[in-house]
Amino acid sequence: MIKNEKIKASEVHVTGLNGEDLGIMSTKEALTLAKQLKVDLICTSLMSSPPPCRLIGSGQAKQEALQEKQQTRKREQAPKIKELRLTPQIEDHDLETKRQQAQRILQAGDAVLLVVKISGKEGAKAKELLEDLLKELSPYGRKQTGIQLSGKQAAVQVNPV
């Protein structure tokens, strides 16, 4: 972010404090205007000619830069996968608690791996339990793959919408 006297262009396209378009003017005029209003002249992009600049209060410019940096860092991070374990004999209240946990995780932007531990012939019951949970969580996330039954567990990953 280039500001004030560090802007080397001869002309700039200036946007005012409230977003109003002040048009194209020489850099000296824009700096004079910024000093009169006791604000900073910030160059938002060097790729166009004349470069677009904004008049921003000095503290606000630093805050915007910090927020932008945090947003890009947040976007770069891959969503975490959080695992929730269940059993086919789960009580209704416990199932509701797990559903709420999954909903909170999905709303926070992370993926949920729902795992049902099975033994013996509980595979069908586990699959039915996961299908019901997927229907309830459909406004918050979509399943990545189908329900996978393997040996001692049934699992499905739900990614946030």
Side-chain angles (χ1 to χ4, degrees):
M1 184 166 53
I2 302 169
K3 66 186 211 179
N4 297 334
E5 286 79 19
K6 292 182 182 174
I7 300 171
K8 299 293 183 201
S10 58
E11 287 186 332
V12 291
H13 186 255
V14 183
T15 305
L17 287 169
N18 299 320
E20 68 275 5
D21 185 22
L22 300 177
I24 298 171
M25 59 177 76
S26 73
T27 307
K28 288 182 182 179
E29 286 179 53
L31 285 170
T32 308
L33 179 64
K35 286 179 183 173
Q36 286 174 356
L37 297 172
K38 295 182 180 170
V39 294
D40 287 328
L41 182 67
I42 307 290
C43 184
T44 55
S45 172
L46 294 173
M47 297 300 157
S48 60
S49 178
C53 293
R54 291 174 49 198
L55 294 173
I56 299 179
S58 56
Q60 188 179 359
K62 287 181 183 177
Q63 189 175 3
E64 281 184 12
L66 183 68
Q67 285 177 341
E68 192 174 304
K69 189 183 279 186
Q70 286 174 342
Q71 289 295 327
T72 54
R73 191 179 311 135
K74 196 172 189 179
R75 276 187 238 114
E76 288 172 359
Q77 289 178 348
K80 295 181 182 114
I81 300 173
K82 304 208 175 173
E83 185 176 309
L84 289 179
R85 295 182 180 182
L86 312 154
T87 60
Q89 301 85 13
I90 191 166
E91 296 289 325
D92 291 339
H93 178 266
D94 296 334
L95 180 63
E96 181 62 23
T97 303
K98 292 288 187 180
R99 187 194 62 75
Q100 287 175 355
Q101 279 181 321
Q103 182 179 330
R104 275 195 301 273
I105 292 168
L106 289 168
Q107 286 176 329
D110 293 326
V112 178
L113 181 65
L114 298 168
V115 178
V116 179
K117 297 289 179 188
I118 52 178
S119 60
K121 299 178 179 177
E122 296 174 331
K125 195 172 182 182
K127 191 171 182 178
E128 185 180 312
L129 177 70
L130 285 175
E131 286 171 352
D132 290 343
L133 262 174
L134 285 171
K135 284 179 191 170
E136 292 176 19
L137 293 172
S138 63
Y140 308 103
R142 291 195 180 94
K143 63 182 179 179
Q144 181 178 0
T145 59
I147 297 171
Q148 298 163 341
L149 285 167
S150 59
K152 297 184 178 184
Q153 70 180 22
V156 64
Q157 183 174 331
V158 184
N159 292 332
V161 176

